[in-house]
Amino acid sequence: MTPKITINTGTPRSVAGNMISGALAAGMVATALSYTKYKQSELSKDEAIKQSLKLTVQGGIATGSAIAAANALGRNSWLGLLGSLTVGVAGIYGVEKLYEKTCTCTQTIDVSTTEEETK
């Protein structure tokens, strides 16, 4: 018979509350870093804002899923632990892909034609 391992993770914590706390913390750090890069002309104003928003959302997702995973671990629910981590990774990846999609479409394409091209 295998002994049951119980890990005391303390009182279960609010996933939604910690998601908000994580988003706020990540947002503060991201904004400070993005502002520094903006001031050093490494990022445009729009890029700095988009990067800050992306990292804010990702920080909230990471914190919320980590708290959900810790709560599941405290209940000895390995499936819940893996599920929480999977949702977190998928959420962060999804935000990253959405960010890439919105940020790579900023190229200016010259569609003007000259008289010679239209003949």
Side-chain angles (χ1 to χ4, degrees):
M1 188 156 121
T2 309
K4 188 174 183 181
I5 299 172
T6 303
I7 299 172
N8 183 358
T9 59
T11 305
R13 292 159 304 274
S14 164
V15 173
N18 280 286
M19 185 177 252
I20 292 168
S21 297
L24 290 172
M28 288 185 281
V29 172
T31 301
L33 294 174
S34 294
Y35 181 72
T36 300
K37 287 183 177 184
Y38 166 70
K39 286 306 237 182
Q40 295 172 347
S41 299
E42 294 177 26
L43 289 176
S44 71
K45 185 178 179 181
D46 287 342
E47 290 170 332
I49 291 169
K50 287 178 184 177
Q51 184 177 13
S52 293
L53 290 173
K54 175 191 80 155
L55 293 172
T56 298
V57 172
Q58 288 176 322
I61 292 169
T63 306
S65 64
I67 293 302
N71 288 344
L73 185 62
R75 293 188 314 270
N76 220 18
S77 172
W78 297 100
L79 187 60
L81 171 84
L82 292 174
S84 298
L85 295 177
T86 301
V87 167
V89 170
I92 292 168
Y93 180 78
V95 170
E96 190 68 32
K97 286 301 178 187
L98 182 63
Y99 174 78
E100 286 175 8
K101 188 174 185 178
T102 60
C103 290
T104 57
C105 297
T106 58
Q107 280 184 324
T108 304
I109 300 172
D110 184 14
V111 293
S112 61
T113 58
T114 63
E115 286 182 33
E116 291 177 9
E117 292 175 352
T118 57
K119 291 181 183 177

Short mmCIF file of all heavy atoms in Angstrom, two decimals, residues 16-92:
data_model
loop_
_atom_site.label_atom_id
_atom_site.label_comp_id
_atom_site.label_asym_id
_atom_site.label_seq_id
_atom_site.Cartn_x
_atom_site.Cartn_y
_atom_site.Cartn_z
N ALA A 16 -9.76 34.24 -8.25
CA ALA A 16 -10.09 35.52 -8.90
C ALA A 16 -9.37 36.68 -8.22
O ALA A 16 -8.81 37.56 -8.89
CB ALA A 16 -11.59 35.75 -8.89
N GLY A 17 -9.35 36.69 -6.90
CA GLY A 17 -8.68 37.76 -6.18
C GLY A 17 -7.19 37.79 -6.46
O GLY A 17 -6.59 38.86 -6.66
N ASN A 18 -6.58 36.62 -6.49
CA ASN A 18 -5.16 36.56 -6.77
C ASN A 18 -4.84 36.84 -8.23
O ASN A 18 -3.76 37.33 -8.55
CB ASN A 18 -4.59 35.21 -6.33
CG ASN A 18 -4.34 35.18 -4.84
OD1 ASN A 18 -3.41 35.79 -4.35
ND2 ASN A 18 -5.23 34.52 -4.12
N MET A 19 -5.78 36.55 -9.11
CA MET A 19 -5.59 36.87 -10.52
C MET A 19 -5.51 38.39 -10.68
O MET A 19 -4.65 38.92 -11.40
CB MET A 19 -6.73 36.29 -11.35
CG MET A 19 -6.58 36.47 -12.83
SD MET A 19 -7.95 35.69 -13.70
CE MET A 19 -7.10 34.29 -14.39
N ILE A 20 -6.39 39.09 -9.99
CA ILE A 20 -6.37 40.56 -10.04
C ILE A 20 -5.08 41.09 -9.42
O ILE A 20 -4.43 41.98 -9.98
CB ILE A 20 -7.62 41.14 -9.34
CG1 ILE A 20 -8.87 40.79 -10.16
CG2 ILE A 20 -7.49 42.64 -9.14
CD1 ILE A 20 -10.18 41.05 -9.46
N SER A 21 -4.68 40.54 -8.28
CA SER A 21 -3.43 40.97 -7.64
C SER A 21 -2.24 40.72 -8.56
O SER A 21 -1.35 41.58 -8.68
CB SER A 21 -3.22 40.21 -6.32
OG SER A 21 -4.23 40.52 -5.40
N GLY A 22 -2.20 39.57 -9.19
CA GLY A 22 -1.11 39.24 -10.11
C GLY A 22 -1.08 40.16 -11.31
O GLY A 22 -0.01 40.59 -11.75
N ALA A 23 -2.26 40.49 -11.83
CA ALA A 23 -2.33 41.40 -12.97
C ALA A 23 -1.83 42.79 -12.58
O ALA A 23 -1.09 43.44 -13.33
CB ALA A 23 -3.75 41.47 -13.51
N LEU A 24 -2.21 43.24 -11.39
CA LEU A 24 -1.76 44.56 -10.93
C LEU A 24 -0.25 44.58 -10.72
O LEU A 24 0.44 45.52 -11.15
CB LEU A 24 -2.48 44.94 -9.64
CG LEU A 24 -3.97 45.26 -9.80
CD1 LEU A 24 -4.63 45.43 -8.44
CD2 LEU A 24 -4.18 46.51 -10.64
N ALA A 25 0.28 43.54 -10.10
CA ALA A 25 1.73 43.48 -9.87
C ALA A 25 2.49 43.41 -11.20
O ALA A 25 3.46 44.14 -11.41
CB ALA A 25 2.07 42.27 -8.99
N ALA A 26 2.05 42.53 -12.08
CA ALA A 26 2.71 42.40 -13.38
C ALA A 26 2.57 43.69 -14.18
O ALA A 26 3.51 44.10 -14.87
CB ALA A 26 2.11 41.23 -14.17
N GLY A 27 1.42 44.33 -14.08
CA GLY A 27 1.20 45.59 -14.78
C GLY A 27 2.14 46.69 -14.32
O GLY A 27 2.65 47.46 -15.13
N MET A 28 2.38 46.75 -13.02
CA MET A 28 3.30 47.77 -12.50
C MET A 28 4.71 47.54 -13.02
O MET A 28 5.38 48.47 -13.48
CB MET A 28 3.28 47.77 -10.98
CG MET A 28 2.01 48.34 -10.39
SD MET A 28 2.08 48.46 -8.59
CE MET A 28 1.74 46.77 -8.12
N VAL A 29 5.16 46.30 -12.95
CA VAL A 29 6.51 45.97 -13.43
C VAL A 29 6.61 46.19 -14.94
O VAL A 29 7.55 46.82 -15.43
CB VAL A 29 6.88 44.52 -13.06
CG1 VAL A 29 8.19 44.11 -13.70
CG2 VAL A 29 6.95 44.36 -11.55
N ALA A 30 5.63 45.69 -15.68
CA ALA A 30 5.66 45.82 -17.14
C ALA A 30 5.63 47.28 -17.58
O ALA A 30 6.35 47.66 -18.51
CB ALA A 30 4.47 45.07 -17.74
N THR A 31 4.82 48.08 -16.91
CA THR A 31 4.73 49.49 -17.27
C THR A 31 6.05 50.21 -17.00
O THR A 31 6.51 51.00 -17.83
CB THR A 31 3.57 50.17 -16.52
OG1 THR A 31 2.35 49.48 -16.87
CG2 THR A 31 3.44 51.63 -16.89
N ALA A 32 6.66 49.92 -15.88
CA ALA A 32 7.95 50.55 -15.57
C ALA A 32 9.01 50.15 -16.58
O ALA A 32 9.77 51.00 -17.08
CB ALA A 32 8.39 50.16 -14.15
N LEU A 33 9.06 48.87 -16.94
CA LEU A 33 10.05 48.40 -17.91
C LEU A 33 9.78 48.96 -19.31
O LEU A 33 10.70 49.38 -20.01
CB LEU A 33 10.10 46.88 -17.94
CG LEU A 33 10.60 46.19 -16.66
CD1 LEU A 33 10.45 44.69 -16.77
CD2 LEU A 33 12.03 46.59 -16.37
N SER A 34 8.52 48.96 -19.70
CA SER A 34 8.16 49.48 -21.02
C SER A 34 8.42 50.98 -21.11
O SER A 34 8.87 51.48 -22.14
CB SER A 34 6.69 49.19 -21.33
OG SER A 34 6.47 47.81 -21.45
N TYR A 35 8.15 51.69 -20.03
CA TYR A 35 8.40 53.13 -20.02
C TYR A 35 9.89 53.41 -20.16
O TYR A 35 10.29 54.32 -20.90
CB TYR A 35 7.86 53.76 -18.73
CG TYR A 35 8.06 55.25 -18.67
CD1 TYR A 35 7.29 56.09 -19.47
CD2 TYR A 35 9.01 55.81 -17.83
CE1 TYR A 35 7.48 57.47 -19.43
CE2 TYR A 35 9.21 57.19 -17.79
CZ TYR A 35 8.44 58.01 -18.59
OH TYR A 35 8.63 59.36 -18.56
N THR A 36 10.71 52.61 -19.49
CA THR A 36 12.17 52.78 -19.61
C THR A 36 12.61 52.56 -21.05
O THR A 36 13.39 53.34 -21.60
CB THR A 36 12.90 51.80 -18.68
OG1 THR A 36 12.50 52.07 -17.34
CG2 THR A 36 14.40 51.93 -18.79
N LYS A 37 12.08 51.50 -21.68
CA LYS A 37 12.43 51.22 -23.08
C LYS A 37 11.92 52.32 -24.01
O LYS A 37 12.58 52.68 -24.98
CB LYS A 37 11.88 49.86 -23.52
CG LYS A 37 12.64 48.70 -22.91
CD LYS A 37 12.11 47.38 -23.43
CE LYS A 37 12.92 46.24 -22.87
NZ LYS A 37 12.49 44.95 -23.42
N TYR A 38 10.77 52.89 -23.70
CA TYR A 38 10.21 53.99 -24.48
C TYR A 38 11.11 55.22 -24.36
O TYR A 38 11.42 55.87 -25.36
CB TYR A 38 8.79 54.30 -24.02
CG TYR A 38 8.25 55.61 -24.53
CD1 TYR A 38 7.93 55.79 -25.88
CD2 TYR A 38 8.07 56.69 -23.67
CE1 TYR A 38 7.45 56.99 -26.35
CE2 TYR A 38 7.58 57.90 -24.14
CZ TYR A 38 7.27 58.05 -25.47
OH TYR A 38 6.79 59.25 -25.94
N LYS A 39 11.53 55.53 -23.15
CA LYS A 39 12.40 56.69 -22.94
C LYS A 39 13.75 56.53 -23.61
O LYS A 39 14.38 57.50 -24.00
CB LYS A 39 12.59 56.95 -21.44
CG LYS A 39 11.38 57.55 -20.77
CD LYS A 39 10.94 58.78 -21.49
CE LYS A 39 10.89 59.97 -20.60
NZ LYS A 39 10.42 61.16 -21.29
N GLN A 40 14.21 55.29 -23.74
CA GLN A 40 15.49 55.01 -24.41
C GLN A 40 15.30 54.82 -25.91
O GLN A 40 16.22 54.40 -26.61
CB GLN A 40 16.15 53.78 -23.79
CG GLN A 40 16.54 53.97 -22.35
CD GLN A 40 17.01 52.68 -21.69
OE1 GLN A 40 16.83 51.58 -22.22
NE2 GLN A 40 17.61 52.82 -20.52
N SER A 41 14.12 55.09 -26.41
CA SER A 41 13.75 54.97 -27.83
C SER A 41 13.91 53.55 -28.37
O SER A 41 14.15 53.34 -29.55
CB SER A 41 14.58 55.94 -28.68
OG SER A 41 14.33 57.27 -28.29
N GLU A 42 13.74 52.56 -27.50
CA GLU A 42 13.77 51.16 -27.93
C GLU A 42 12.38 50.69 -28.34
O GLU A 42 12.24 49.72 -29.07
CB GLU A 42 14.31 50.27 -26.81
CG GLU A 42 15.76 50.52 -26.47
CD GLU A 42 16.24 49.67 -25.31
OE1 GLU A 42 15.68 48.59 -25.07
OE2 GLU A 42 17.20 50.10 -24.64
N LEU A 43 11.34 51.36 -27.83
CA LEU A 43 9.96 51.05 -28.17
C LEU A 43 9.23 52.34 -28.50
O LEU A 43 9.52 53.39 -27.90
CB LEU A 43 9.24 50.39 -26.98
CG LEU A 43 9.60 48.98 -26.56
CD1 LEU A 43 8.82 48.59 -25.31
CD2 LEU A 43 9.30 47.99 -27.67
N SER A 44 8.26 52.24 -29.40
CA SER A 44 7.40 53.39 -29.65
C SER A 44 6.38 53.46 -28.51
O SER A 44 6.24 52.52 -27.72
CB SER A 44 6.68 53.24 -30.99
OG SER A 44 5.70 52.23 -30.92
N LYS A 45 5.66 54.55 -28.45
CA LYS A 45 4.65 54.72 -27.41
C LYS A 45 3.59 53.62 -27.51
O LYS A 45 3.22 53.01 -26.51
CB LYS A 45 4.00 56.10 -27.55
CG LYS A 45 3.03 56.45 -26.47
CD LYS A 45 2.52 57.86 -26.71
CE LYS A 45 1.51 58.29 -25.68
NZ LYS A 45 1.01 59.65 -25.95
N ASP A 46 3.12 53.35 -28.73
CA ASP A 46 2.10 52.31 -28.94
C ASP A 46 2.63 50.93 -28.55
O ASP A 46 1.92 50.14 -27.93
CB ASP A 46 1.62 52.29 -30.38
CG ASP A 46 0.71 53.46 -30.72
OD1 ASP A 46 0.19 54.10 -29.77
OD2 ASP A 46 0.52 53.73 -31.91
N GLU A 47 3.87 50.63 -28.94
CA GLU A 47 4.46 49.33 -28.59
C GLU A 47 4.60 49.18 -27.08
O GLU A 47 4.35 48.10 -26.54
CB GLU A 47 5.83 49.18 -29.25
CG GLU A 47 5.78 49.01 -30.75
CD GLU A 47 7.17 49.11 -31.39
OE1 GLU A 47 8.06 49.80 -30.83
OE2 GLU A 47 7.34 48.50 -32.46
N ALA A 48 4.99 50.24 -26.40
CA ALA A 48 5.16 50.19 -24.95
C ALA A 48 3.81 49.93 -24.27
O ALA A 48 3.73 49.12 -23.33
CB ALA A 48 5.77 51.49 -24.44
N ILE A 49 2.77 50.58 -24.75
CA ILE A 49 1.44 50.38 -24.17
C ILE A 49 0.97 48.95 -24.42
O ILE A 49 0.48 48.28 -23.51
CB ILE A 49 0.45 51.41 -24.73
CG1 ILE A 49 0.79 52.81 -24.21
CG2 ILE A 49 -1.00 51.04 -24.39
CD1 ILE A 49 0.06 53.94 -24.90
N LYS A 50 1.11 48.48 -25.66
CA LYS A 50 0.68 47.12 -26.00
C LYS A 50 1.44 46.07 -25.20
O LYS A 50 0.86 45.10 -24.70
CB LYS A 50 0.84 46.85 -27.50
CG LYS A 50 -0.18 47.55 -28.35
CD LYS A 50 0.06 47.28 -29.82
CE LYS A 50 -0.89 48.05 -30.69
NZ LYS A 50 -0.62 47.84 -32.12
N GLN A 51 2.75 46.27 -25.06
CA GLN A 51 3.56 45.31 -24.30
C GLN A 51 3.14 45.31 -22.83
O GLN A 51 3.04 44.25 -22.21
CB GLN A 51 5.04 45.63 -24.43
CG GLN A 51 5.92 44.62 -23.75
CD GLN A 51 7.41 44.89 -23.94
OE1 GLN A 51 7.81 45.95 -24.40
NE2 GLN A 51 8.21 43.92 -23.62
N SER A 52 2.89 46.48 -22.28
CA SER A 52 2.45 46.56 -20.88
C SER A 52 1.12 45.85 -20.66
O SER A 52 0.95 45.11 -19.69
CB SER A 52 2.35 48.02 -20.44
OG SER A 52 3.61 48.63 -20.42
N LEU A 53 0.18 46.08 -21.58
CA LEU A 53 -1.12 45.42 -21.46
C LEU A 53 -1.00 43.91 -21.59
O LEU A 53 -1.62 43.16 -20.85
CB LEU A 53 -2.08 45.98 -22.51
CG LEU A 53 -2.55 47.42 -22.30
CD1 LEU A 53 -3.36 47.90 -23.49
CD2 LEU A 53 -3.35 47.53 -21.02
N LYS A 54 -0.18 43.47 -22.54
CA LYS A 54 0.03 42.02 -22.75
C LYS A 54 0.58 41.38 -21.48
O LYS A 54 0.07 40.37 -20.99
CB LYS A 54 0.98 41.77 -23.91
CG LYS A 54 1.33 40.29 -24.10
CD LYS A 54 2.45 40.08 -25.08
CE LYS A 54 3.77 40.35 -24.39
NZ LYS A 54 4.91 39.69 -24.97
N LEU A 55 1.62 41.97 -20.93
CA LEU A 55 2.25 41.40 -19.74
C LEU A 55 1.36 41.48 -18.52
O LEU A 55 1.41 40.62 -17.64
CB LEU A 55 3.60 42.08 -19.49
CG LEU A 55 4.67 41.79 -20.55
CD1 LEU A 55 5.90 42.65 -20.34
CD2 LEU A 55 5.03 40.32 -20.58
N THR A 56 0.50 42.50 -18.45
CA THR A 56 -0.47 42.61 -17.36
C THR A 56 -1.45 41.45 -17.40
O THR A 56 -1.69 40.78 -16.38
CB THR A 56 -1.22 43.96 -17.45
OG1 THR A 56 -0.28 45.02 -17.30
CG2 THR A 56 -2.29 44.07 -16.39
N VAL A 57 -2.00 41.19 -18.57
CA VAL A 57 -2.95 40.08 -18.72
C VAL A 57 -2.25 38.74 -18.44
O VAL A 57 -2.78 37.88 -17.73
CB VAL A 57 -3.60 40.09 -20.12
CG1 VAL A 57 -4.43 38.84 -20.37
CG2 VAL A 57 -4.45 41.34 -20.30
N GLN A 58 -1.05 38.56 -18.99
CA GLN A 58 -0.32 37.31 -18.77
C GLN A 58 0.02 37.12 -17.29
O GLN A 58 -0.03 36.00 -16.78
CB GLN A 58 0.95 37.27 -19.62
CG GLN A 58 0.65 37.07 -21.09
CD GLN A 58 1.89 37.11 -21.96
OE1 GLN A 58 2.81 37.90 -21.72
NE2 GLN A 58 1.93 36.26 -22.97
N GLY A 59 0.36 38.19 -16.60
CA GLY A 59 0.65 38.10 -15.16
C GLY A 59 -0.57 37.67 -14.37
O GLY A 59 -0.48 36.87 -13.44
N GLY A 60 -1.73 38.18 -14.75
CA GLY A 60 -2.97 37.78 -14.09
C GLY A 60 -3.29 36.32 -14.33
O GLY A 60 -3.67 35.58 -13.42
N ILE A 61 -3.12 35.88 -15.57
CA ILE A 61 -3.37 34.47 -15.90
C ILE A 61 -2.40 33.56 -15.14
O ILE A 61 -2.81 32.55 -14.57
CB ILE A 61 -3.24 34.24 -17.43
CG1 ILE A 61 -4.38 34.96 -18.16
CG2 ILE A 61 -3.24 32.75 -17.76
CD1 ILE A 61 -4.20 35.00 -19.68
N ALA A 62 -1.13 33.93 -15.14
CA ALA A 62 -0.12 33.11 -14.46
C ALA A 62 -0.41 33.00 -12.96
O ALA A 62 -0.36 31.92 -12.38
CB ALA A 62 1.28 33.69 -14.68
N THR A 63 -0.74 34.12 -12.34
CA THR A 63 -1.01 34.10 -10.90
C THR A 63 -2.27 33.33 -10.58
O THR A 63 -2.30 32.52 -9.65
CB THR A 63 -1.13 35.55 -10.37
OG1 THR A 63 0.05 36.27 -10.73
CG2 THR A 63 -1.26 35.56 -8.87
N GLY A 64 -3.32 33.56 -11.35
CA GLY A 64 -4.57 32.84 -11.11
C GLY A 64 -4.43 31.35 -11.27
O GLY A 64 -4.90 30.56 -10.44
N SER A 65 -3.74 30.92 -12.32
CA SER A 65 -3.57 29.48 -12.53
C SER A 65 -2.63 28.87 -11.50
O SER A 65 -2.82 27.73 -11.08
CB SER A 65 -3.10 29.18 -13.95
OG SER A 65 -1.83 29.72 -14.18
N ALA A 66 -1.63 29.64 -11.05
CA ALA A 66 -0.72 29.14 -10.02
C ALA A 66 -1.46 28.95 -8.69
O ALA A 66 -1.25 27.95 -7.99
CB ALA A 66 0.46 30.09 -9.84
N ILE A 67 -2.34 29.88 -8.35
CA ILE A 67 -3.12 29.76 -7.12
C ILE A 67 -4.09 28.58 -7.23
O ILE A 67 -4.25 27.80 -6.29
CB ILE A 67 -3.87 31.07 -6.81
CG1 ILE A 67 -2.87 32.17 -6.46
CG2 ILE A 67 -4.89 30.89 -5.69
CD1 ILE A 67 -1.96 31.89 -5.28
N ALA A 68 -4.73 28.43 -8.39
CA ALA A 68 -5.63 27.30 -8.58
C ALA A 68 -4.86 25.98 -8.48
O ALA A 68 -5.34 25.01 -7.88
CB ALA A 68 -6.33 27.40 -9.94
N ALA A 69 -3.64 25.95 -9.03
CA ALA A 69 -2.81 24.75 -8.95
C ALA A 69 -2.42 24.45 -7.50
O ALA A 69 -2.45 23.30 -7.06
CB ALA A 69 -1.57 24.90 -9.83
N ALA A 70 -2.05 25.49 -6.76
CA ALA A 70 -1.68 25.30 -5.35
C ALA A 70 -2.88 24.82 -4.54
O ALA A 70 -2.74 23.95 -3.66
CB ALA A 70 -1.13 26.59 -4.77
N ASN A 71 -4.07 25.37 -4.82
CA ASN A 71 -5.28 24.90 -4.13
C ASN A 71 -5.54 23.43 -4.45
O ASN A 71 -5.90 22.65 -3.56
CB ASN A 71 -6.48 25.75 -4.53
CG ASN A 71 -6.45 27.14 -3.93
OD1 ASN A 71 -5.70 27.43 -2.99
ND2 ASN A 71 -7.23 28.04 -4.48
N ALA A 72 -5.37 23.04 -5.70
CA ALA A 72 -5.57 21.65 -6.10
C ALA A 72 -4.55 20.74 -5.42
O ALA A 72 -4.88 19.63 -4.97
CB ALA A 72 -5.49 21.51 -7.62
N LEU A 73 -3.31 21.20 -5.32
CA LEU A 73 -2.27 20.43 -4.65
C LEU A 73 -2.62 20.21 -3.19
O LEU A 73 -2.44 19.12 -2.64
CB LEU A 73 -0.93 21.15 -4.79
CG LEU A 73 0.30 20.43 -4.24
CD1 LEU A 73 0.52 19.11 -4.98
CD2 LEU A 73 1.51 21.33 -4.37
N GLY A 74 -3.16 21.24 -2.56
CA GLY A 74 -3.58 21.13 -1.15
C GLY A 74 -4.71 20.13 -0.96
O GLY A 74 -4.84 19.53 0.10
N ARG A 75 -5.53 19.95 -1.99
CA ARG A 75 -6.62 18.95 -1.95
C ARG A 75 -6.14 17.59 -2.41
O ARG A 75 -6.92 16.65 -2.49
CB ARG A 75 -7.77 19.40 -2.85
CG ARG A 75 -8.52 20.61 -2.41
CD ARG A 75 -9.77 20.85 -3.26
NE ARG A 75 -9.56 20.72 -4.69
CZ ARG A 75 -9.21 21.71 -5.51
NH1 ARG A 75 -9.01 22.92 -5.04
NH2 ARG A 75 -9.05 21.49 -6.81
N ASN A 76 -4.87 17.51 -2.77
CA ASN A 76 -4.27 16.27 -3.29
C ASN A 76 -4.91 15.87 -4.62
O ASN A 76 -5.04 14.69 -4.93
CB ASN A 76 -4.38 15.14 -2.25
CG ASN A 76 -3.13 14.31 -2.23
OD1 ASN A 76 -2.08 14.73 -2.70
ND2 ASN A 76 -3.23 13.13 -1.67
N SER A 77 -5.30 16.87 -5.40
CA SER A 77 -5.92 16.64 -6.70
C SER A 77 -4.88 16.88 -7.79
O SER A 77 -4.67 18.01 -8.23
CB SER A 77 -7.12 17.58 -6.90
OG SER A 77 -7.60 17.49 -8.22
N TRP A 78 -4.23 15.81 -8.19
CA TRP A 78 -3.18 15.93 -9.21
C TRP A 78 -3.76 16.30 -10.56
O TRP A 78 -3.14 17.03 -11.34
CB TRP A 78 -2.36 14.64 -9.28
CG TRP A 78 -1.66 14.40 -7.98
CD1 TRP A 78 -2.05 13.56 -6.98
CD2 TRP A 78 -0.50 15.07 -7.51
NE1 TRP A 78 -1.18 13.66 -5.91
CE2 TRP A 78 -0.21 14.58 -6.20
CE3 TRP A 78 0.34 16.04 -8.03
CZ2 TRP A 78 0.87 15.02 -5.45
CZ3 TRP A 78 1.43 16.48 -7.28
CH2 TRP A 78 1.68 15.97 -6.00
N LEU A 79 -4.96 15.83 -10.85
CA LEU A 79 -5.62 16.20 -12.09
C LEU A 79 -5.96 17.69 -12.10
O LEU A 79 -5.77 18.38 -13.10
CB LEU A 79 -6.89 15.35 -12.30
CG LEU A 79 -7.60 15.51 -13.63
CD1 LEU A 79 -6.67 15.13 -14.79
CD2 LEU A 79 -8.86 14.65 -13.67
N GLY A 80 -6.45 18.19 -10.98
CA GLY A 80 -6.73 19.62 -10.85
C GLY A 80 -5.47 20.46 -10.98
O GLY A 80 -5.48 21.52 -11.60
N LEU A 81 -4.38 19.97 -10.41
CA LEU A 81 -3.10 20.65 -10.51
C LEU A 81 -2.67 20.76 -11.97
O LEU A 81 -2.35 21.85 -12.45
CB LEU A 81 -2.04 19.91 -9.70
CG LEU A 81 -0.60 20.39 -9.89
CD1 LEU A 81 -0.31 21.57 -8.99
CD2 LEU A 81 0.37 19.27 -9.61
N LEU A 82 -2.67 19.64 -12.66
CA LEU A 82 -2.27 19.63 -14.08
C LEU A 82 -3.23 20.46 -14.94
O LEU A 82 -2.80 21.16 -15.86
CB LEU A 82 -2.18 18.20 -14.60
CG LEU A 82 -1.04 17.36 -14.01
CD1 LEU A 82 -1.14 15.92 -14.50
CD2 LEU A 82 0.30 17.96 -14.38
N GLY A 83 -4.50 20.38 -14.64
CA GLY A 83 -5.49 21.16 -15.38
C GLY A 83 -5.27 22.65 -15.21
O GLY A 83 -5.31 23.42 -16.18
N SER A 84 -5.02 23.07 -13.99
CA SER A 84 -4.78 24.49 -13.71
C SER A 84 -3.53 24.99 -14.43
O SER A 84 -3.52 26.08 -15.01
CB SER A 84 -4.64 24.73 -12.21
OG SER A 84 -5.82 24.38 -11.54
N LEU A 85 -2.48 24.21 -14.38
CA LEU A 85 -1.24 24.59 -15.04
C LEU A 85 -1.42 24.64 -16.56
O LEU A 85 -0.91 25.54 -17.23
CB LEU A 85 -0.10 23.65 -14.66
CG LEU A 85 0.32 23.69 -13.19
CD1 LEU A 85 1.39 22.65 -12.91
CD2 LEU A 85 0.78 25.07 -12.78
N THR A 86 -2.17 23.68 -17.09
CA THR A 86 -2.42 23.63 -18.53
C THR A 86 -3.22 24.85 -18.98
O THR A 86 -2.91 25.47 -20.01
CB THR A 86 -3.16 22.33 -18.90
OG1 THR A 86 -2.35 21.22 -18.50
CG2 THR A 86 -3.44 22.25 -20.39
N VAL A 87 -4.25 25.19 -18.23
CA VAL A 87 -5.06 26.37 -18.56
C VAL A 87 -4.19 27.63 -18.51
O VAL A 87 -4.29 28.50 -19.38
CB VAL A 87 -6.28 26.49 -17.61
CG1 VAL A 87 -6.94 27.85 -17.72
CG2 VAL A 87 -7.28 25.38 -17.90
N GLY A 88 -3.32 27.72 -17.52
CA GLY A 88 -2.43 28.87 -17.41
C GLY A 88 -1.50 29.00 -18.59
O GLY A 88 -1.37 30.08 -19.19
N VAL A 89 -0.84 27.90 -18.94
CA VAL A 89 0.09 27.93 -20.07
C VAL A 89 -0.65 28.25 -21.36
O VAL A 89 -0.19 29.08 -22.17
CB VAL A 89 0.85 26.58 -20.19
CG1 VAL A 89 1.63 26.50 -21.49
CG2 VAL A 89 1.78 26.40 -19.00
N ALA A 90 -1.81 27.64 -21.56
CA ALA A 90 -2.59 27.89 -22.78
C ALA A 90 -3.05 29.35 -22.84
O ALA A 90 -3.02 29.98 -23.90
CB ALA A 90 -3.79 26.96 -22.84
N GLY A 91 -3.46 29.89 -21.71
CA GLY A 91 -3.90 31.28 -21.67
C GLY A 91 -2.78 32.25 -21.99
O GLY A 91 -2.95 33.20 -22.77
N ILE A 92 -1.61 32.01 -21.40
CA ILE A 92 -0.45 32.88 -21.65
C ILE A 92 -0.02 32.77 -23.11
O ILE A 92 0.27 33.78 -23.77
CB ILE A 92 0.70 32.52 -20.70
CG1 ILE A 92 0.31 32.90 -19.27
CG2 ILE A 92 2.00 33.21 -21.11
CD1 ILE A 92 1.22 32.35 -18.20
#
